[in-house]
Amino acid sequence: MNTATTQFSGVSVWALVPTMSQIIHEIAQKYKLDGHPPHLTLVYDIPITTEEEGKHSISNVRQRFKKLCDSLRHSEAVSLTPTHMESGISKLFGHGYCDLFFEIKEDCALSCLFQTTMDTMEWDKKKESFFHKPHACLAYWNPNTLPEEQTANIQQDILELYPELLAQSFLIEEVALWSTEGTLQNWTQLDSFPLSSD
């Protein structure tokens, strides 16, 4: 298994996109990668301490997430329109990736979801946000164990498997609080909240 060994930290809030599950699963099977939940990262690396109280306690983070859920209670599922794909080696984290990027406009529902999440979770890294480049990762891999020649054409391979990928739309149906401490295998969902699809 070509496991991405990158170490992440803290807690993240994801926008879940269940309709991408099959795509990610089939890519993982083709390249012998670890699968992962299909998501857009809204905020990441929220620090957690072992203290029972305080801003960085897990109970405080959970309270902020509950407040976020309350603010989204009457929100509808958010539609995503793909624009392009990118693949390579992350300069920040060191793993290989293939990402699907989505259109975002200043007054659109996705923009509002990002802003509401960053504000409610009191996130301190807004300059490092994915707000201006929202994307879902289709694949992670370890570049030390998966040769470059096997991933050089990954975008082309994916489009051959899914020729309509860039022409279809996807729905964000849920927001979720995840512990992203450690490697991919260590990540666990802490809480979630569905968006209305009515």
Side-chain angles (χ1 to χ4, degrees):
M1 191 70 72
N2 296 298
T3 302
T5 56
T6 304
Q7 293 282 332
F8 290 87
S9 61
V11 170
S12 302
V13 178
W14 291 352
L16 300 184
V17 192
T19 50
M20 295 184 67
S21 295
Q22 183 180 351
I23 297 172
I24 290 173
H25 175 71
E26 291 187 0
I27 294 169
Q29 283 194 319
K30 178 177 175 65
Y31 288 95
K32 296 182 172 62
L33 309 176
D34 284 326
H36 60 277
H39 66 277
L40 280 76
T41 299
L42 298 174
V43 300
Y44 62 92
D45 197 20
I46 301 172
I48 296 294
T49 66
T50 56
E51 298 174 359
E52 293 184 9
E53 298 182 358
K55 180 178 179 179
H56 299 307
S57 66
I58 188 62
S59 61
N60 185 283
V61 172
R62 284 181 179 275
Q63 286 173 10
R64 279 180 271 160
F65 183 73
K66 183 180 182 302
K67 184 179 177 182
L68 173 65
C69 295
D70 289 341
S71 69
L72 298 174
R73 194 161 299 280
H74 301 294
S75 298
E76 296 183 354
V78 177
S79 180
L80 300 171
T81 302
T83 57
H84 67 286
M85 284 194 295
E86 291 182 9
S87 59
I89 306 300
S90 171
K91 294 179 181 178
L92 184 60
F93 299 116
H95 61 251
Y97 68 88
C98 183
D99 291 342
L100 180 65
F101 285 77
F102 301 100
E103 181 181 49
I104 188 165
K105 298 177 181 177
E106 203 167 305
D107 59 348
C108 71
L110 181 56
S111 173
C112 293
L113 181 59
F114 264 101
Q115 197 61 56
T116 300
T117 303
M118 290 189 291
D119 291 345
T120 308
M121 297 303 295
E122 300 175 21
W123 197 49
D124 298 328
K125 299 184 178 183
K126 293 184 180 179
K127 290 184 179 179
E128 301 170 30
S129 169
F130 296 132
F131 174 83
H132 296 294
K133 49 181 181 180
H135 62 276
C137 190
L138 299 177
Y140 297 107
W141 64 85
N142 183 346
N144 295 320
T145 58
L146 193 62
E148 184 178 351
E149 57 268 23
Q150 290 188 29
T151 59
N153 298 316
I154 191 168
Q155 292 184 49
Q156 181 179 333
D157 290 347
I158 291 172
L159 287 176
E160 287 178 0
L161 282 171
Y162 298 96
E164 301 300 320
L165 180 63
L166 296 178
Q168 67 186 101
S169 60
F170 300 91
L171 284 180
I172 294 173
E173 300 180 21
E174 193 173 353
V175 292
L177 184 69
W178 274 71
S179 169
T180 45
E181 194 73 35
T183 62
L184 181 61
Q185 296 78 15
N186 304 125
W187 299 352
T188 54
Q189 182 171 296
L190 305 175
D191 203 351
S192 65
F193 182 80
L195 301 180
S196 172
S197 57
D198 295 335

mmCIF file with all atom_site columns, all heavy atoms in Angstrom, residues 9-35:
data_model
loop_
_atom_site.group_PDB
_atom_site.id
_atom_site.type_symbol
_atom_site.label_atom_id
_atom_site.label_alt_id
_atom_site.label_comp_id
_atom_site.label_asym_id
_atom_site.label_entity_id
_atom_site.label_seq_id
_atom_site.pdbx_PDB_ins_code
_atom_site.Cartn_x
_atom_site.Cartn_y
_atom_site.Cartn_z
_atom_site.occupancy
_atom_site.B_iso_or_equiv
_atom_site.pdbx_formal_charge
_atom_site.auth_seq_id
_atom_site.auth_comp_id
_atom_site.auth_asym_id
_atom_site.auth_atom_id
_atom_site.pdbx_PDB_model_num
ATOM 1   N N   . SER A 1 9  ? -1.691  17.703 11.934  1.00 0.00 ? 9  SER A N   1
ATOM 2   C CA  . SER A 1 9  ? -1.882  17.960 13.356  1.00 0.00 ? 9  SER A CA  1
ATOM 3   C C   . SER A 1 9  ? -3.224  18.639 13.607  1.00 0.00 ? 9  SER A C   1
ATOM 4   O O   . SER A 1 9  ? -3.846  19.191 12.703  1.00 0.00 ? 9  SER A O   1
ATOM 5   C CB  . SER A 1 9  ? -0.747  18.839 13.903  1.00 0.00 ? 9  SER A CB  1
ATOM 6   O OG  . SER A 1 9  ? -0.718  20.093 13.231  1.00 0.00 ? 9  SER A OG  1
ATOM 7   N N   . GLY A 1 10 ? -3.658  18.577 14.859  1.00 0.00 ? 10 GLY A N   1
ATOM 8   C CA  . GLY A 1 10 ? -4.840  19.312 15.288  1.00 0.00 ? 10 GLY A CA  1
ATOM 9   C C   . GLY A 1 10 ? -6.155  18.739 14.786  1.00 0.00 ? 10 GLY A C   1
ATOM 10  O O   . GLY A 1 10 ? -6.282  17.571 14.451  1.00 0.00 ? 10 GLY A O   1
ATOM 11  N N   . VAL A 1 11 ? -7.140  19.632 14.730  1.00 0.00 ? 11 VAL A N   1
ATOM 12  C CA  . VAL A 1 11 ? -8.502  19.283 14.340  1.00 0.00 ? 11 VAL A CA  1
ATOM 13  C C   . VAL A 1 11 ? -8.876  20.105 13.112  1.00 0.00 ? 11 VAL A C   1
ATOM 14  O O   . VAL A 1 11 ? -8.437  21.245 12.952  1.00 0.00 ? 11 VAL A O   1
ATOM 15  C CB  . VAL A 1 11 ? -9.477  19.558 15.506  1.00 0.00 ? 11 VAL A CB  1
ATOM 16  C CG1 . VAL A 1 11 ? -10.922 19.439 15.071  1.00 0.00 ? 11 VAL A CG1 1
ATOM 17  C CG2 . VAL A 1 11 ? -9.199  18.598 16.656  1.00 0.00 ? 11 VAL A CG2 1
ATOM 18  N N   . SER A 1 12 ? -9.689  19.516 12.229  1.00 0.00 ? 12 SER A N   1
ATOM 19  C CA  . SER A 1 12 ? -10.107 20.190 11.000  1.00 0.00 ? 12 SER A CA  1
ATOM 20  C C   . SER A 1 12 ? -11.620 20.149 10.861  1.00 0.00 ? 12 SER A C   1
ATOM 21  O O   . SER A 1 12 ? -12.275 19.276 11.429  1.00 0.00 ? 12 SER A O   1
ATOM 22  C CB  . SER A 1 12 ? -9.480  19.510 9.775   1.00 0.00 ? 12 SER A CB  1
ATOM 23  O OG  . SER A 1 12 ? -8.067  19.508 9.850   1.00 0.00 ? 12 SER A OG  1
ATOM 24  N N   . VAL A 1 13 ? -12.160 21.095 10.100  1.00 0.00 ? 13 VAL A N   1
ATOM 25  C CA  . VAL A 1 13 ? -13.575 21.046 9.719   1.00 0.00 ? 13 VAL A CA  1
ATOM 26  C C   . VAL A 1 13 ? -13.619 20.805 8.227   1.00 0.00 ? 13 VAL A C   1
ATOM 27  O O   . VAL A 1 13 ? -13.009 21.550 7.447   1.00 0.00 ? 13 VAL A O   1
ATOM 28  C CB  . VAL A 1 13 ? -14.319 22.343 10.084  1.00 0.00 ? 13 VAL A CB  1
ATOM 29  C CG1 . VAL A 1 13 ? -15.776 22.252 9.610   1.00 0.00 ? 13 VAL A CG1 1
ATOM 30  C CG2 . VAL A 1 13 ? -14.274 22.589 11.588  1.00 0.00 ? 13 VAL A CG2 1
ATOM 31  N N   . TRP A 1 14 ? -14.334 19.747 7.858   1.00 0.00 ? 14 TRP A N   1
ATOM 32  C CA  . TRP A 1 14 ? -14.448 19.359 6.452   1.00 0.00 ? 14 TRP A CA  1
ATOM 33  C C   . TRP A 1 14 ? -15.863 19.559 5.940   1.00 0.00 ? 14 TRP A C   1
ATOM 34  O O   . TRP A 1 14 ? -16.837 19.404 6.686   1.00 0.00 ? 14 TRP A O   1
ATOM 35  C CB  . TRP A 1 14 ? -14.111 17.881 6.277   1.00 0.00 ? 14 TRP A CB  1
ATOM 36  C CG  . TRP A 1 14 ? -12.676 17.519 6.487   1.00 0.00 ? 14 TRP A CG  1
ATOM 37  C CD1 . TRP A 1 14 ? -11.618 18.364 6.668   1.00 0.00 ? 14 TRP A CD1 1
ATOM 38  C CD2 . TRP A 1 14 ? -12.140 16.183 6.545   1.00 0.00 ? 14 TRP A CD2 1
ATOM 39  N NE1 . TRP A 1 14 ? -10.461 17.653 6.822   1.00 0.00 ? 14 TRP A NE1 1
ATOM 40  C CE2 . TRP A 1 14 ? -10.749 16.309 6.752   1.00 0.00 ? 14 TRP A CE2 1
ATOM 41  C CE3 . TRP A 1 14 ? -12.695 14.918 6.428   1.00 0.00 ? 14 TRP A CE3 1
ATOM 42  C CZ2 . TRP A 1 14 ? -9.916  15.197 6.845   1.00 0.00 ? 14 TRP A CZ2 1
ATOM 43  C CZ3 . TRP A 1 14 ? -11.865 13.813 6.527   1.00 0.00 ? 14 TRP A CZ3 1
ATOM 44  C CH2 . TRP A 1 14 ? -10.485 13.955 6.735   1.00 0.00 ? 14 TRP A CH2 1
ATOM 45  N N   . ALA A 1 15 ? -15.959 19.856 4.660   1.00 0.00 ? 15 ALA A N   1
ATOM 46  C CA  . ALA A 1 15 ? -17.233 19.801 3.946   1.00 0.00 ? 15 ALA A CA  1
ATOM 47  C C   . ALA A 1 15 ? -17.231 18.472 3.194   1.00 0.00 ? 15 ALA A C   1
ATOM 48  O O   . ALA A 1 15 ? -16.380 18.246 2.334   1.00 0.00 ? 15 ALA A O   1
ATOM 49  C CB  . ALA A 1 15 ? -17.342 20.966 2.966   1.00 0.00 ? 15 ALA A CB  1
ATOM 50  N N   . LEU A 1 16 ? -18.150 17.576 3.553   1.00 0.00 ? 16 LEU A N   1
ATOM 51  C CA  . LEU A 1 16 ? -18.145 16.225 2.991   1.00 0.00 ? 16 LEU A CA  1
ATOM 52  C C   . LEU A 1 16 ? -18.927 16.159 1.681   1.00 0.00 ? 16 LEU A C   1
ATOM 53  O O   . LEU A 1 16 ? -19.998 16.751 1.554   1.00 0.00 ? 16 LEU A O   1
ATOM 54  C CB  . LEU A 1 16 ? -18.734 15.238 4.001   1.00 0.00 ? 16 LEU A CB  1
ATOM 55  C CG  . LEU A 1 16 ? -17.995 15.155 5.347   1.00 0.00 ? 16 LEU A CG  1
ATOM 56  C CD1 . LEU A 1 16 ? -18.617 14.076 6.224   1.00 0.00 ? 16 LEU A CD1 1
ATOM 57  C CD2 . LEU A 1 16 ? -16.510 14.867 5.144   1.00 0.00 ? 16 LEU A CD2 1
ATOM 58  N N   . VAL A 1 17 ? -18.366 15.413 0.726   1.00 0.00 ? 17 VAL A N   1
ATOM 59  C CA  . VAL A 1 17 ? -18.952 15.289 -0.612  1.00 0.00 ? 17 VAL A CA  1
ATOM 60  C C   . VAL A 1 17 ? -19.116 13.795 -0.924  1.00 0.00 ? 17 VAL A C   1
ATOM 61  O O   . VAL A 1 17 ? -18.293 13.198 -1.629  1.00 0.00 ? 17 VAL A O   1
ATOM 62  C CB  . VAL A 1 17 ? -18.059 15.959 -1.680  1.00 0.00 ? 17 VAL A CB  1
ATOM 63  C CG1 . VAL A 1 17 ? -18.809 16.092 -2.998  1.00 0.00 ? 17 VAL A CG1 1
ATOM 64  C CG2 . VAL A 1 17 ? -17.566 17.324 -1.207  1.00 0.00 ? 17 VAL A CG2 1
ATOM 65  N N   . PRO A 1 18 ? -20.166 13.159 -0.394  1.00 0.00 ? 18 PRO A N   1
ATOM 66  C CA  . PRO A 1 18 ? -20.326 11.701 -0.521  1.00 0.00 ? 18 PRO A CA  1
ATOM 67  C C   . PRO A 1 18 ? -20.341 11.189 -1.956  1.00 0.00 ? 18 PRO A C   1
ATOM 68  O O   . PRO A 1 18 ? -19.902 10.060 -2.218  1.00 0.00 ? 18 PRO A O   1
ATOM 69  C CB  . PRO A 1 18 ? -21.674 11.435 0.166   1.00 0.00 ? 18 PRO A CB  1
ATOM 70  C CG  . PRO A 1 18 ? -21.870 12.588 1.079   1.00 0.00 ? 18 PRO A CG  1
ATOM 71  C CD  . PRO A 1 18 ? -21.239 13.763 0.407   1.00 0.00 ? 18 PRO A CD  1
ATOM 72  N N   . THR A 1 19 ? -20.812 12.009 -2.900  1.00 0.00 ? 19 THR A N   1
ATOM 73  C CA  . THR A 1 19 ? -20.910 11.531 -4.287  1.00 0.00 ? 19 THR A CA  1
ATOM 74  C C   . THR A 1 19 ? -19.547 11.339 -4.944  1.00 0.00 ? 19 THR A C   1
ATOM 75  O O   . THR A 1 19 ? -19.463 10.781 -6.042  1.00 0.00 ? 19 THR A O   1
ATOM 76  C CB  . THR A 1 19 ? -21.751 12.510 -5.134  1.00 0.00 ? 19 THR A CB  1
ATOM 77  O OG1 . THR A 1 19 ? -21.272 13.846 -4.933  1.00 0.00 ? 19 THR A OG1 1
ATOM 78  C CG2 . THR A 1 19 ? -23.227 12.433 -4.767  1.00 0.00 ? 19 THR A CG2 1
ATOM 79  N N   . MET A 1 20 ? -18.476 11.765 -4.271  1.00 0.00 ? 20 MET A N   1
ATOM 80  C CA  . MET A 1 20 ? -17.133 11.547 -4.797  1.00 0.00 ? 20 MET A CA  1
ATOM 81  C C   . MET A 1 20 ? -16.509 10.260 -4.264  1.00 0.00 ? 20 MET A C   1
ATOM 82  O O   . MET A 1 20 ? -15.386 9.898  -4.647  1.00 0.00 ? 20 MET A O   1
ATOM 83  C CB  . MET A 1 20 ? -16.232 12.745 -4.463  1.00 0.00 ? 20 MET A CB  1
ATOM 84  C CG  . MET A 1 20 ? -16.657 14.040 -5.124  1.00 0.00 ? 20 MET A CG  1
ATOM 85  S SD  . MET A 1 20 ? -15.500 15.386 -4.791  1.00 0.00 ? 20 MET A SD  1
ATOM 86  C CE  . MET A 1 20 ? -14.059 14.805 -5.674  1.00 0.00 ? 20 MET A CE  1
ATOM 87  N N   . SER A 1 21 ? -17.224 9.553  -3.394  1.00 0.00 ? 21 SER A N   1
ATOM 88  C CA  . SER A 1 21 ? -16.664 8.369  -2.734  1.00 0.00 ? 21 SER A CA  1
ATOM 89  C C   . SER A 1 21 ? -16.197 7.314  -3.720  1.00 0.00 ? 21 SER A C   1
ATOM 90  O O   . SER A 1 21 ? -15.098 6.753  -3.583  1.00 0.00 ? 21 SER A O   1
ATOM 91  C CB  . SER A 1 21 ? -17.698 7.756  -1.774  1.00 0.00 ? 21 SER A CB  1
ATOM 92  O OG  . SER A 1 21 ? -17.980 8.628  -0.721  1.00 0.00 ? 21 SER A OG  1
ATOM 93  N N   . GLN A 1 22 ? -17.020 7.004  -4.710  1.00 0.00 ? 22 GLN A N   1
ATOM 94  C CA  . GLN A 1 22 ? -16.679 5.954  -5.665  1.00 0.00 ? 22 GLN A CA  1
ATOM 95  C C   . GLN A 1 22 ? -15.432 6.322  -6.471  1.00 0.00 ? 22 GLN A C   1
ATOM 96  O O   . GLN A 1 22 ? -14.572 5.473  -6.732  1.00 0.00 ? 22 GLN A O   1
ATOM 97  C CB  . GLN A 1 22 ? -17.842 5.675  -6.613  1.00 0.00 ? 22 GLN A CB  1
ATOM 98  C CG  . GLN A 1 22 ? -17.553 4.534  -7.586  1.00 0.00 ? 22 GLN A CG  1
ATOM 99  C CD  . GLN A 1 22 ? -18.707 4.254  -8.538  1.00 0.00 ? 22 GLN A CD  1
ATOM 100 O OE1 . GLN A 1 22 ? -19.794 4.794  -8.378  1.00 0.00 ? 22 GLN A OE1 1
ATOM 101 N NE2 . GLN A 1 22 ? -18.461 3.418  -9.530  1.00 0.00 ? 22 GLN A NE2 1
ATOM 102 N N   . ILE A 1 23 ? -15.338 7.579  -6.867  1.00 0.00 ? 23 ILE A N   1
ATOM 103 C CA  . ILE A 1 23 ? -14.179 8.027  -7.635  1.00 0.00 ? 23 ILE A CA  1
ATOM 104 C C   . ILE A 1 23 ? -12.900 7.823  -6.830  1.00 0.00 ? 23 ILE A C   1
ATOM 105 O O   . ILE A 1 23 ? -11.919 7.236  -7.314  1.00 0.00 ? 23 ILE A O   1
ATOM 106 C CB  . ILE A 1 23 ? -14.331 9.517  -8.017  1.00 0.00 ? 23 ILE A CB  1
ATOM 107 C CG1 . ILE A 1 23 ? -15.549 9.718  -8.918  1.00 0.00 ? 23 ILE A CG1 1
ATOM 108 C CG2 . ILE A 1 23 ? -13.066 10.044 -8.695  1.00 0.00 ? 23 ILE A CG2 1
ATOM 109 C CD1 . ILE A 1 23 ? -15.881 11.164 -9.191  1.00 0.00 ? 23 ILE A CD1 1
ATOM 110 N N   . ILE A 1 24 ? -12.906 8.281  -5.580  1.00 0.00 ? 24 ILE A N   1
ATOM 111 C CA  . ILE A 1 24 ? -11.724 8.168  -4.725  1.00 0.00 ? 24 ILE A CA  1
ATOM 112 C C   . ILE A 1 24 ? -11.398 6.702  -4.456  1.00 0.00 ? 24 ILE A C   1
ATOM 113 O O   . ILE A 1 24 ? -10.226 6.294  -4.475  1.00 0.00 ? 24 ILE A O   1
ATOM 114 C CB  . ILE A 1 24 ? -11.941 8.956  -3.417  1.00 0.00 ? 24 ILE A CB  1
ATOM 115 C CG1 . ILE A 1 24 ? -11.943 10.464 -3.727  1.00 0.00 ? 24 ILE A CG1 1
ATOM 116 C CG2 . ILE A 1 24 ? -10.873 8.616  -2.383  1.00 0.00 ? 24 ILE A CG2 1
ATOM 117 C CD1 . ILE A 1 24 ? -12.319 11.343 -2.557  1.00 0.00 ? 24 ILE A CD1 1
ATOM 118 N N   . HIS A 1 25 ? -12.419 5.882  -4.241  1.00 0.00 ? 25 HIS A N   1
ATOM 119 C CA  . HIS A 1 25 ? -12.210 4.450  -3.986  1.00 0.00 ? 25 HIS A CA  1
ATOM 120 C C   . HIS A 1 25 ? -11.561 3.767  -5.191  1.00 0.00 ? 25 HIS A C   1
ATOM 121 O O   . HIS A 1 25 ? -10.604 2.986  -5.038  1.00 0.00 ? 25 HIS A O   1
ATOM 122 C CB  . HIS A 1 25 ? -13.547 3.790  -3.658  1.00 0.00 ? 25 HIS A CB  1
ATOM 123 C CG  . HIS A 1 25 ? -13.452 2.308  -3.497  1.00 0.00 ? 25 HIS A CG  1
ATOM 124 N ND1 . HIS A 1 25 ? -12.831 1.714  -2.411  1.00 0.00 ? 25 HIS A ND1 1
ATOM 125 C CD2 . HIS A 1 25 ? -13.895 1.278  -4.294  1.00 0.00 ? 25 HIS A CD2 1
ATOM 126 C CE1 . HIS A 1 25 ? -12.885 0.386  -2.540  1.00 0.00 ? 25 HIS A CE1 1
ATOM 127 N NE2 . HIS A 1 25 ? -13.517 0.112  -3.665  1.00 0.00 ? 25 HIS A NE2 1
ATOM 128 N N   . GLU A 1 26 ? -12.034 4.057  -6.391  1.00 0.00 ? 26 GLU A N   1
ATOM 129 C CA  . GLU A 1 26 ? -11.504 3.400  -7.583  1.00 0.00 ? 26 GLU A CA  1
ATOM 130 C C   . GLU A 1 26 ? -10.084 3.867  -7.898  1.00 0.00 ? 26 GLU A C   1
ATOM 131 O O   . GLU A 1 26 ? -9.250  3.082  -8.354  1.00 0.00 ? 26 GLU A O   1
ATOM 132 C CB  . GLU A 1 26 ? -12.435 3.636  -8.771  1.00 0.00 ? 26 GLU A CB  1
ATOM 133 C CG  . GLU A 1 26 ? -13.763 2.903  -8.619  1.00 0.00 ? 26 GLU A CG  1
ATOM 134 C CD  . GLU A 1 26 ? -14.632 2.976  -9.862  1.00 0.00 ? 26 GLU A CD  1
ATOM 135 O OE1 . GLU A 1 26 ? -14.211 3.598  -10.862 1.00 0.00 ? 26 GLU A OE1 1
ATOM 136 O OE2 . GLU A 1 26 ? -15.738 2.407  -9.829  1.00 0.00 ? 26 GLU A OE2 1
ATOM 137 N N   . ILE A 1 27 ? -9.794  5.134  -7.645  1.00 0.00 ? 27 ILE A N   1
ATOM 138 C CA  . ILE A 1 27 ? -8.426  5.634  -7.833  1.00 0.00 ? 27 ILE A CA  1
ATOM 139 C C   . ILE A 1 27 ? -7.492  4.949  -6.840  1.00 0.00 ? 27 ILE A C   1
ATOM 140 O O   . ILE A 1 27 ? -6.375  4.526  -7.192  1.00 0.00 ? 27 ILE A O   1
ATOM 141 C CB  . ILE A 1 27 ? -8.370  7.161  -7.666  1.00 0.00 ? 27 ILE A CB  1
ATOM 142 C CG1 . ILE A 1 27 ? -9.146  7.853  -8.785  1.00 0.00 ? 27 ILE A CG1 1
ATOM 143 C CG2 . ILE A 1 27 ? -6.921  7.660  -7.650  1.00 0.00 ? 27 ILE A CG2 1
ATOM 144 C CD1 . ILE A 1 27 ? -9.362  9.332  -8.557  1.00 0.00 ? 27 ILE A CD1 1
ATOM 145 N N   . ALA A 1 28 ? -7.942  4.816  -5.595  1.00 0.00 ? 28 ALA A N   1
ATOM 146 C CA  . ALA A 1 28 ? -7.131  4.154  -4.572  1.00 0.00 ? 28 ALA A CA  1
ATOM 147 C C   . ALA A 1 28 ? -6.846  2.705  -4.954  1.00 0.00 ? 28 ALA A C   1
ATOM 148 O O   . ALA A 1 28 ? -5.728  2.206  -4.772  1.00 0.00 ? 28 ALA A O   1
ATOM 149 C CB  . ALA A 1 28 ? -7.840  4.228  -3.220  1.00 0.00 ? 28 ALA A CB  1
ATOM 150 N N   . GLN A 1 29 ? -7.858  2.019  -5.486  1.00 0.00 ? 29 GLN A N   1
ATOM 151 C CA  . GLN A 1 29 ? -7.661  0.635  -5.909  1.00 0.00 ? 29 GLN A CA  1
ATOM 152 C C   . GLN A 1 29 ? -6.674  0.540  -7.071  1.00 0.00 ? 29 GLN A C   1
ATOM 153 O O   . GLN A 1 29 ? -5.800  -0.330 -7.089  1.00 0.00 ? 29 GLN A O   1
ATOM 154 C CB  . GLN A 1 29 ? -8.991  0.019  -6.309  1.00 0.00 ? 29 GLN A CB  1
ATOM 155 C CG  . GLN A 1 29 ? -9.881  -0.379 -5.131  1.00 0.00 ? 29 GLN A CG  1
ATOM 156 C CD  . GLN A 1 29 ? -11.015 -1.276 -5.567  1.00 0.00 ? 29 GLN A CD  1
ATOM 157 O OE1 . GLN A 1 29 ? -11.618 -1.059 -6.610  1.00 0.00 ? 29 GLN A OE1 1
ATOM 158 N NE2 . GLN A 1 29 ? -11.319 -2.291 -4.764  1.00 0.00 ? 29 GLN A NE2 1
ATOM 159 N N   . LYS A 1 30 ? -6.820  1.429  -8.044  1.00 0.00 ? 30 LYS A N   1
ATOM 160 C CA  . LYS A 1 30 ? -5.970  1.389  -9.243  1.00 0.00 ? 30 LYS A CA  1
ATOM 161 C C   . LYS A 1 30 ? -4.499  1.589  -8.883  1.00 0.00 ? 30 LYS A C   1
ATOM 162 O O   . LYS A 1 30 ? -3.618  0.909  -9.411  1.00 0.00 ? 30 LYS A O   1
ATOM 163 C CB  . LYS A 1 30 ? -6.420  2.474  -10.234 1.00 0.00 ? 30 LYS A CB  1
ATOM 164 C CG  . LYS A 1 30 ? -5.566  2.545  -11.508 1.00 0.00 ? 30 LYS A CG  1
ATOM 165 C CD  . LYS A 1 30 ? -6.109  3.590  -12.463 1.00 0.00 ? 30 LYS A CD  1
ATOM 166 C CE  . LYS A 1 30 ? -5.208  3.770  -13.682 1.00 0.00 ? 30 LYS A CE  1
ATOM 167 N NZ  . LYS A 1 30 ? -5.136  2.569  -14.521 1.00 0.00 ? 30 LYS A NZ  1
ATOM 168 N N   . TYR A 1 31 ? -4.223  2.525  -7.964  1.00 0.00 ? 31 TYR A N   1
ATOM 169 C CA  . TYR A 1 31 ? -2.844  2.855  -7.617  1.00 0.00 ? 31 TYR A CA  1
ATOM 170 C C   . TYR A 1 31 ? -2.385  2.229  -6.295  1.00 0.00 ? 31 TYR A C   1
ATOM 171 O O   . TYR A 1 31 ? -1.288  2.513  -5.828  1.00 0.00 ? 31 TYR A O   1
ATOM 172 C CB  . TYR A 1 31 ? -2.671  4.381  -7.548  1.00 0.00 ? 31 TYR A CB  1
ATOM 173 C CG  . TYR A 1 31 ? -2.697  5.046  -8.896  1.00 0.00 ? 31 TYR A CG  1
ATOM 174 C CD1 . TYR A 1 31 ? -3.877  5.574  -9.409  1.00 0.00 ? 31 TYR A CD1 1
ATOM 175 C CD2 . TYR A 1 31 ? -1.541  5.117  -9.671  1.00 0.00 ? 31 TYR A CD2 1
ATOM 176 C CE1 . TYR A 1 31 ? -3.904  6.178  -10.655 1.00 0.00 ? 31 TYR A CE1 1
ATOM 177 C CE2 . TYR A 1 31 ? -1.559  5.714  -10.913 1.00 0.00 ? 31 TYR A CE2 1
ATOM 178 C CZ  . TYR A 1 31 ? -2.745  6.245  -11.406 1.00 0.00 ? 31 TYR A CZ  1
ATOM 179 O OH  . TYR A 1 31 ? -2.763  6.836  -12.645 1.00 0.00 ? 31 TYR A OH  1
ATOM 180 N N   . LYS A 1 32 ? -3.258  1.388  -5.690  1.00 0.00 ? 32 LYS A N   1
ATOM 181 C CA  . LYS A 1 32 ? -2.944  0.733  -4.407  1.00 0.00 ? 32 LYS A CA  1
ATOM 182 C C   . LYS A 1 32 ? -2.636  1.780  -3.327  1.00 0.00 ? 32 LYS A C   1
ATOM 183 O O   . LYS A 1 32 ? -1.624  1.706  -2.614  1.00 0.00 ? 32 LYS A O   1
ATOM 184 C CB  . LYS A 1 32 ? -1.781  -0.246 -4.564  1.00 0.00 ? 32 LYS A CB  1
ATOM 185 C CG  . LYS A 1 32 ? -2.095  -1.411 -5.498  1.00 0.00 ? 32 LYS A CG  1
ATOM 186 C CD  . LYS A 1 32 ? -0.923  -2.378 -5.584  1.00 0.00 ? 32 LYS A CD  1
ATOM 187 C CE  . LYS A 1 32 ? -1.303  -3.638 -6.353  1.00 0.00 ? 32 LYS A CE  1
ATOM 188 N NZ  . LYS A 1 32 ? -1.688  -3.367 -7.751  1.00 0.00 ? 32 LYS A NZ  1
ATOM 189 N N   . LEU A 1 33 ? -3.547  2.742  -3.210  1.00 0.00 ? 33 LEU A N   1
ATOM 190 C CA  . LEU A 1 33 ? -3.419  3.806  -2.218  1.00 0.00 ? 33 LEU A CA  1
ATOM 191 C C   . LEU A 1 33 ? -4.413  3.598  -1.084  1.00 0.00 ? 33 LEU A C   1
ATOM 192 O O   . LEU A 1 33 ? -5.365  2.824  -1.220  1.00 0.00 ? 33 LEU A O   1
ATOM 193 C CB  . LEU A 1 33 ? -3.697  5.174  -2.859  1.00 0.00 ? 33 LEU A CB  1
ATOM 194 C CG  . LEU A 1 33 ? -2.935  5.520  -4.134  1.00 0.00 ? 33 LEU A CG  1
ATOM 195 C CD1 . LEU A 1 33 ? -3.413  6.855  -4.678  1.00 0.00 ? 33 LEU A CD1 1
ATOM 196 C CD2 . LEU A 1 33 ? -1.434  5.552  -3.863  1.00 0.00 ? 33 LEU A CD2 1
ATOM 197 N N   . ASP A 1 34 ? -4.195  4.306  0.010   1.00 0.00 ? 34 ASP A N   1
ATOM 198 C CA  . ASP A 1 34 ? -5.206  4.356  1.065   1.00 0.00 ? 34 ASP A CA  1
ATOM 199 C C   . ASP A 1 34 ? -6.337  5.262  0.606   1.00 0.00 ? 34 ASP A C   1
ATOM 200 O O   . ASP A 1 34 ? -6.096  6.358  0.085   1.00 0.00 ? 34 ASP A O   1
ATOM 201 C CB  . ASP A 1 34 ? -4.622  4.925  2.367   1.00 0.00 ? 34 ASP A CB  1
ATOM 202 C CG  . ASP A 1 34 ? -3.762  3.906  3.090   1.00 0.00 ? 34 ASP A CG  1
ATOM 203 O OD1 . ASP A 1 34 ? -4.092  2.713  3.011   1.00 0.00 ? 34 ASP A OD1 1
ATOM 204 O OD2 . ASP A 1 34 ? -2.765  4.303  3.714   1.00 0.00 ? 34 ASP A OD2 1
ATOM 205 N N   . GLY A 1 35 ? -7.575  4.831  0.812   1.00 0.00 ? 35 GLY A N   1
ATOM 206 C CA  . GLY A 1 35 ? -8.710  5.698  0.539   1.00 0.00 ? 35 GLY A CA  1
ATOM 207 C C   . GLY A 1 35 ? -8.888  6.710  1.657   1.00 0.00 ? 35 GLY A C   1
ATOM 208 O O   . GLY A 1 35 ? -8.255  6.623  2.707   1.00 0.00 ? 35 GLY A O   1
#
